[in-house]
Amino acid sequence: MDNYINKPIPLSECRRMMVDMLEDIDRFCTKHNISYQLTYGTLIGAVRHKGFIPWDDDVDIWMPRPDYSYFMEHYRHEYYKLLSVDSDDDYPLDYAKLHDSRTVVEETAGDGRWGLFIDIFILDGMPSKDEGERMFDTTARMRRVVANQRFTYKLKPSLRAPLSKNAAIIIGRILHPFISVHNVLKRMDNNNRRYSYDNCEYCGDLANRKRVFLKTDLQKTIRALFEGREFNIPAEYDFILRRIYGEYLQLPPEEKRVSNHGLTAFWRD
């Protein structure tokens, strides 16, 4: 039995620690003139709740590719550590995390080995809306390969499962020893960065929802309160959130007010 499981961290403390981490990112980005913004559920939280969505347990930001590259190369901290496909051959995701190495998390919806974290998504350049859509499709195909490699071996064929799912499980198990997740992720990264962000009119986060934005929709940043501290959000946050989520100001039904991660955190020995 792992020793850390006897030292759980309450959710309220986890949130405070993640906001401390976010504040350090904000400090570094302000000092070095790096663009970042709160995004996804964290942005909804800032706008709708002035902090975390009550049932949420993570933090999301995004950065344009040039700012992301600078941040990944130069950011350093005593115990906040960056994880990415470039830093760790076993890292299974196509975006980066900054994690607190003093901690370890267990997630019901994940298989990673990291501590309390902030997800750092990348805004990549796209020369046109149509090309952006094609890039999303290409990345989605490669992400499905990665997902099969990460999770198929945990699943077993079932008489109650659809034939297509059982076939995918069996094929995934056969191919598992011959496909490198790291190599697929590197190919994906090369595909995503093929166009210069600075020279493109459009951009999008290829690791996430299928939305192509004009760069001008995201370029202006304002400050907003999140858990009593101020951070960067897009000035056009209402337009962006409606594009992604629709009527984001309305609370979802109670049965959907659950965490996507099911995160439990512990102190390491």
Side-chain angles (χ1 to χ4, degrees):
M1 181 177 291
D2 294 317
N3 292 329
Y4 66 77
I5 64 172
N6 294 317
K7 296 180 287 186
I9 306 173
L11 178 58
S12 58
E13 178 69 3
C14 290
R15 287 175 167 173
R16 184 196 64 77
M17 293 171 67
M18 286 187 282
V19 175
D20 286 346
M21 204 182 314
L22 183 59
E23 193 166 54
D24 201 68
I25 291 175
D26 179 77
R27 187 180 303 114
F28 180 89
C29 291
T30 300
K31 178 179 178 181
H32 294 277
N33 196 30
I34 291 175
S35 176
Y36 85 89
Q37 296 168 341
L38 306 187
T39 191
Y40 302 126
T42 309
L43 179 56
I44 290 179
V47 174
R48 197 171 67 193
H49 305 277
K50 307 300 181 187
F52 284 96
I53 294 174
W55 50 91
D56 203 3
D57 54 12
D58 74 335
V59 172
D60 299 324
I61 66 173
W62 60 22
M63 298 178 179
R65 173 69 74 170
D67 299 276
Y68 170 87
S69 297
Y70 185 95
F71 182 83
M72 297 299 290
E73 182 177 354
H74 296 284
Y75 179 86
R76 297 292 182 272
H77 190 276
E78 179 184 0
Y79 46 81
Y80 298 156
K81 305 299 181 184
L82 286 163
L83 295 171
S84 73
V85 66
D86 292 319
S87 70
D88 186 347
D89 287 350
D90 294 325
Y91 186 70
L93 301 169
D94 52 332
Y95 54 89
K97 288 181 183 286
L98 182 67
H99 82 123
D100 188 326
S101 61
R102 302 171 300 173
T103 65
V104 60
V105 299
E106 294 183 350
E107 298 178 82
T108 57
D111 62 344
R113 297 176 296 280
W114 40 69
L116 285 168
F117 60 86
I118 290 176
D119 287 329
I120 306 174
F121 296 104
I122 312 164
L123 292 170
D124 276 301
M126 301 165 180
S128 68
K129 187 174 181 180
D130 287 345
E131 179 61 13
E133 297 286 350
R134 286 191 287 271
M135 291 172 70
F136 271 110
D137 291 339
T138 300
T139 299
R141 287 194 294 271
M142 288 190 278
R143 293 188 91 222
R144 285 195 291 271
V145 172
V146 170
N148 283 339
Q149 287 295 96
R150 289 175 63 193
F151 300 116
T152 299
Y153 73 93
K154 297 180 179 181
L155 303 175
K156 295 181 180 180
S158 168
L159 293 175
R160 292 178 293 179
L163 180 61
S164 59
K165 182 174 181 179
N166 285 334
I169 292 171
I170 293 169
I171 293 171
R173 287 190 170 193
I174 293 171
L175 295 178
H176 188 83
F178 305 103
I179 298 177
S180 163
V181 167
H182 180 75
N183 288 345
V184 176
L185 288 171
K186 289 295 290 183
R187 283 177 53 207
M188 193 185 312
D189 188 63
N190 290 334
N191 172 71
N192 293 354
R193 66 168 78 209
R194 76 169 91 169
Y195 299 108
S196 166
Y197 181 88
D198 291 334
N199 296 333
C200 287
E201 185 179 2
Y202 295 86
C203 67
D205 167 22
L206 289 160
N208 239 298
R209 297 174 185 272
K210 195 170 182 178
R211 296 290 184 275
V212 178
F213 291 99
L214 283 166
K215 274 171 42 179
T216 52
D217 294 334
L218 303 175
Q219 283 177 335
K220 188 175 180 182
T221 293
I222 60 174
R223 302 287 279 181
L225 281 176
F226 185 85
E227 297 295 327
R229 306 182 221 182
E230 285 194 344
F231 300 103
N232 291 352
I233 69 169
E236 301 295 330
Y237 63 84
D238 184 69
F239 168 76
I240 292 162
L241 288 174
R242 290 184 187 280
R243 281 282 315 278
I244 298 173
Y245 297 105
E247 294 298 325
Y248 70 94
L249 289 174
Q250 294 181 7
L251 293 176
E254 286 196 24
E255 64 272 15
K256 293 187 177 181
R257 299 178 193 178
V258 295
S259 165
N260 290 327
H261 293 278
L263 180 152
T264 307
F266 306 87
W267 291 106
R268 291 185 187 273
D269 288 331

